[in-house]
């Protein structure tokens, strides 16, 4: 049974999906950390009886903030870290320390549309499809090897909000499936590649 730590900054819809899926999965979420004190996801953790922690990032160097998170995750005996709507860029040293056990969900079909304002850029480019990707986190932003992806159509009348909603629907299915693969040891990061057994 793998112990999972989830890092959030917002509403925690992805956290909610991971919580719902854990009962019949080989992982248990043992700690939720938010860098934002009033993040809605903290309530989801409390409602599920999961310990949570607020570690503000304000007024701290990236390394100091990451060192606090690292210490809390290790103290909780965490095996796998999931970024779920976590809106901070992690230091290279944190990414390296957790490499192979640190994953993220990004609302595009990586490697396309890394970074922010994804839906606006997808619509602007006239793409016919978009989607979500779960990937291993490496020091370069949104650049780690992909573990799982799911695509959705982009409709001609889509707004960034309507597209975000459609993408989120697949995120909430994709993330639990990808975390299960990792927790079961059926995927691993090897020489910069996601390797499946
Ligand atoms: C979602 O749109 C997701 O694409 C990205 O963060 C956003 C907020 O997610 N990962 P959540 O509701 O905080 O899980």
């Amino acid at each position: 049974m793998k112990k999972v730590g989830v890092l959030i900054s917002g509403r925690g819809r992805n956290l909610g999906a991971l919580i719902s899926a854990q009962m019949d999965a080989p992982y248990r979420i043992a700690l939720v950390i938010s860098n934002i004190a009033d993040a809605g996801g903290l309530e989801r953790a409390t409602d599920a009886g999961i310990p949570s922690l607020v570690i503000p990032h304000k007024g701290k160097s990236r390394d100091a903030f990451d060192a606090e998170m690292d210490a809390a995750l290790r103290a909780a005996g965490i095996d796998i870290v999931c970024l779920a709507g976590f809106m901070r860029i992690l230091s290279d040293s944190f990414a390296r320390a957790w490499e192979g056990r640190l994953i993220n969900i990004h609302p595009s079909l990586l490697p396309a549309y890394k970074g922010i304002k994804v839906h606006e850029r997808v619509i602007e480019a006239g793409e016919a499809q978009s989607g979500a990707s779960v990937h291993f986190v490496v020091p370069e932003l949104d650049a780690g090897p992909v573990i799982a992806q799911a695509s959705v159509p982009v409709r001609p009348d889509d707004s960034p909000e309507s597209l975000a909603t459609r993408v989120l629907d697949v995120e909430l299915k994709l993330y639990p499936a990808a975390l299960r693969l990792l927790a079961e040891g059926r995927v691993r990061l090897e020489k910069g590649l996601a390797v499946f057994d």
Side-chain angles (χ1 to χ4, degrees):
M1 186 67 73
K2 295 291 184 197
K3 292 179 79 174
V4 172
V6 183
L7 308 189
I8 64 167
S9 300
R11 291 167 61 180
R13 288 158 299 177
N14 277 293
L15 168 64
L18 296 177
I19 292 172
S20 302
Q22 73 176 350
M23 290 329 286
D24 56 13
Y27 69 82
R28 286 295 177 272
I29 299 172
L31 180 62
V32 171
I33 301 179
S34 176
N35 63 309
I36 303 293
D38 63 351
L42 289 167
E43 270 174 62
R44 295 176 197 262
T46 305
D47 293 351
I50 296 169
S52 61
L53 197 53
V54 174
I55 302 182
H57 62 276
K58 285 206 171 45
K60 291 172 192 161
S61 71
R62 190 180 305 284
D63 285 345
F65 171 66
D66 286 8
E68 271 188 76
M69 284 200 300
D70 184 74
L73 291 163
R74 291 180 192 286
I78 297 301
D79 302 302
I80 294 172
V81 179
C82 293
L83 308 183
F86 186 65
M87 302 312 275
R88 300 289 301 166
I89 293 177
L90 293 164
S91 60
D92 290 7
S93 53
F94 185 96
R96 285 204 187 89
W98 291 91
E99 197 158 277
R101 307 184 292 151
L102 171 60
I103 59 178
N104 179 45
I105 190 158
H106 180 76
S108 82
L109 292 175
L110 292 173
Y113 300 101
K114 296 175 181 145
I116 57 171
K117 291 194 176 307
V118 172
H119 308 302
E120 290 85 341
R121 291 158 50 208
V122 163
I123 291 169
E124 182 63 32
E127 299 286 355
Q129 66 170 6
S130 189
S133 308
V134 178
H135 63 96
F136 284 108
V137 173
V138 296
E140 187 190 344
L141 183 68
D142 297 334
V146 168
I147 295 171
Q149 291 190 303
S151 69
V152 298
V154 180
R155 303 199 193 296
D157 58 347
D158 262 328
S159 65
E161 293 71 28
S162 61
L163 180 53
T165 301
R166 194 172 309 121
V167 170
L168 187 73
D169 283 348
V170 287
E171 285 178 47
L172 302 183
K173 298 185 185 89
L174 191 69
Y175 215 172
L179 176 53
R180 172 192 281 273
L181 278 174
L182 184 60
E184 288 173 343
R186 288 161 50 204
V187 65
R188 62 186 181 284
L189 180 59
E190 205 167 277
K191 298 193 186 75
L193 295 175
V195 175
F196 291 78
D197 284 345

